Amino acid sequence: MGQQADGKDSDSVPVAWVLSARTGAGLAARAARLSGQVRSDPATPETEIGARLVAGATSFGERAVVVDSTREGLLAGLDALASGREAPNLLTGTGEAGRRAVFVFPGQGTEWPGMAADLLRSAPVFAERVRACERALAPYVDWSLEEVLTGCDSAPPLERVDVVQPVLFATMASLAALWRSFGIEPAAVVGHSQGEVAAAHVAGALSLEDAARLVALRSRALHAIRGDGAMVTVMGSGGQVREMLSGLEGRLWVAAVNGPNALTVSGDLEALRAFESDLSAARILRWRLPGVDFAAHSGHVEAIRDEVLRLSKETRPCGTAVAFYSSVTAGRIDPAGLGGDYWYRNLREPVRFHETVETLLTDGYDAFVECGPKPVLNLGLQETADRAGIPVSLLASLRRGEGGMRRFVTALADAYVHGLPVDWRRLYGETGQGASC
């Protein structure tokens, strides 16, 4: 066990020491007692201590988790908890019962090289789901999913749209499986742009075969509009941005509204460059979506309408107990409506993510788990919740450069201290993993 010197996760599984108490003082006292017991018994392995802490334990409201790969690091975290100090490997919080979790699936732009390589080695549930996705994608692609994820020299570049979208789908579906293996089940799902395909699959509305076929063939269809457009994220108010777009109708479109002050604009390259100059002059922060050389959620998509409808028509959605919230309609919809026409609308119409989150908040959801390689939607989520005056917990599965089990166990700790029912026994049985789900 350990962490590499460059700060990236190694492929080992860290230890989590999980504590709870009725009061903050009780939690600190428990940490102090455990610290003394561990120091007086150097022969007991860290994993055995962790397993004892969660075996049949009742979780009280005041919670803490220390995550580390060394005894020294675990003890340092305990000592910080006992003395009321913070520590980089210590997470604390008040876990409220009845949290309603939403699995959130982002669109393109979350990818980074090596984003799943460590989990493939250290998380059997994740690796098994990736292999299942590879089998489902195989009839429609001529490359290896696992070779792309591990950065094999023979793999095609991740920048290709017909590579990155299926790869992201597989990564997100596999992260969702990993969360579920630790007892975290979504009450609802929501996706952003192509993330809706993963959301529909994880909810049970699309089979793995249907979802893989859809994401592979639709991403291939996008080749026809590559090179003529681009997309830019803008950190500004919707009213101001739309005013700046006045006169550019038919050339630029609002592609997505991600929060009160976060939009994406899509369209013609020349018009987009002029718009970016206007944004610079107005001192409005913006950036191009990396690796995107087409204009999704714009009039450009109409050029491939017939092809997208044709390849989507074989999709057979089915009912599911998990609520599906659509960022096309900005509300909960019957999964039976996720047929071929829906997946064209998903690509052509604007992503109404901000409105959809408002609906989720109104409906009582208060914990959002972003199942992606790095969190990109949390800022808009937090601003939307703040504006509504509703406290929420925002959880990130992985972060750029942190794609292994240390990062994921830290995410589990974050979920636990905010009230989600993590099954910590899975960490100590079968090297930290549960059965595939």
Side-chain angles (χ1 to χ4, degrees):
M1 295 184 178
Q3 192 176 25
Q4 294 174 355
D6 62 3
K8 295 183 180 180
D9 283 346
S10 71
D11 59 2
S12 61
V13 179
V15 175
W17 285 355
V18 182
L19 301 173
S20 72
R22 290 185 173 88
T23 66
L27 188 63
R30 190 168 182 212
R33 286 196 302 272
L34 180 59
S35 177
Q37 291 166 357
V38 172
R39 285 185 164 91
S40 66
D41 182 17
T44 302
E46 296 83 35
T47 53
E48 185 174 333
I49 295 168
R52 290 176 182 175
L53 288 171
V54 298
T58 298
S59 291
F60 298 104
E62 296 301 317
R63 301 179 178 188
V65 184
V66 181
V67 179
D68 214 285
S69 298
T70 67
R71 199 178 193 87
E72 293 76 13
L74 290 162
L75 284 168
L78 279 183
D79 293 342
L81 178 59
S83 60
R85 294 180 288 108
E86 295 182 354
N89 63 341
L90 169 65
L91 292 93
T92 61
T94 301
E96 299 179 4
R99 304 303 297 270
R100 302 183 72 198
V102 181
F103 279 10
V104 182
F105 299 89
Q108 190 171 336
T110 61
E111 66 277 0
W112 50 274
M115 59 189 171
D118 283 340
L119 284 181
L120 281 170
R121 291 189 292 266
S122 60
V125 166
F126 182 88
E128 180 180 337
R129 185 63 63 178
V130 166
R131 288 192 292 270
C133 290
E134 177 134 37
R135 290 191 295 271
L137 288 167
Y140 314 109
V141 302
D142 59 0
W143 41 266
S144 163
L145 172 62
E146 193 161 344
E147 286 184 0
V148 174
L149 287 172
T150 56
C152 183
D153 290 342
S154 60
L158 194 58
E159 291 76 17
R160 269 176 44 184
V161 65
D162 61 325
V163 174
V164 69
Q165 291 197 0
V167 167
L168 283 174
F169 163 78
T171 301
M172 292 188 289
S174 301
L175 283 170
L178 192 54
W179 278 102
R180 281 176 149 168
S181 76
F182 282 94
I184 305 301
E185 288 287 339
V189 297
V190 63
H192 186 288
S193 188
Q194 72 136 26
E196 284 204 296
V197 181
H201 166 60
V202 169
L206 292 184
S207 68
L208 179 56
E209 291 71 24
D210 269 0
R213 180 181 183 277
L214 175 63
V215 75
L217 296 183
R218 198 179 71 161
S219 62
R220 189 188 304 170
L222 287 168
H223 272 285
I225 59 172
R226 287 187 60 197
D228 296 329
M231 305 177 73
V232 60
T233 294
V234 183
M235 303 306 292
S237 69
Q240 183 181 16
V241 172
R242 285 185 170 87
E243 184 177 340
M244 295 175 70
L245 290 171
S246 178
L248 294 171
E249 295 84 356
R251 301 177 67 195
L252 295 181
W253 291 259
V254 173
V257 181
N258 301 325
N261 298 293
L263 298 87
T264 302
V265 173
S266 180
D268 300 354
L269 281 173
E270 184 178 346
L272 202 61
R273 293 189 188 101
F275 176 62
E276 288 174 313
S277 295
D278 292 342
L279 291 170
S280 294
R283 303 182 68 83
I284 297 175
L285 180 65
R286 91 281 186 244
W287 61 87
R288 289 277 183 101
L289 266 65
V292 177
D293 59 354
F294 55 92
H297 310 290
S298 79
H300 289 206
V301 177
E302 294 168 11
I304 58 172
R305 177 182 181 275
D306 291 345
E307 175 64 9
V308 173
L309 289 175
R310 183 191 65 79
L311 61 87
S312 302
K313 68 181 180 181
E314 295 181 20
T315 303
R316 297 291 182 266
C318 56
T320 172
V322 178
F324 183 90
Y325 280 75
S326 165
S327 57
V328 175
T329 68
R332 182 176 179 175
I333 67 170
D334 184 344
L338 297 175
D341 177 70
Y342 183 86
W343 298 110
Y344 171 72
R345 295 178 61 201
N346 162 271
L347 186 60
R348 169 61 183 89
E349 296 180 17
V351 180
R352 298 166 64 185
F353 187 75
H354 171 53
E355 294 173 79
T356 311
V357 171
E358 288 181 319
T359 303
L360 283 159
L361 294 171
T362 298
D363 289 351
Y365 298 95
D366 58 0
F368 295 83
V369 180
E370 191 161 342
C371 296
K374 65 179 181 182
V376 295
L377 297 172
N378 278 358
L379 178 60
L381 276 163
Q382 188 66 66
E383 288 185 346
T384 302
D386 289 347
R387 180 166 290 192
I390 298 174
V392 295
S393 297
L394 305 179
L395 307 167
S397 301
L398 305 179
R399 298 185 183 277
R400 187 179 182 93
E402 300 176 41
M405 279 302 291
R406 184 184 178 100
R407 169 58 221 163
F408 189 77
V409 172
T410 300
L412 289 171
D414 200 10
Y416 174 77
V417 301
H418 287 97
L420 293 182
V422 176
D423 185 356
W424 287 108
R425 296 169 300 176
R426 300 290 187 131
L427 189 62
Y428 300 105
E430 298 180 10
T431 63
Q433 309 308 315
S436 180
C437 48

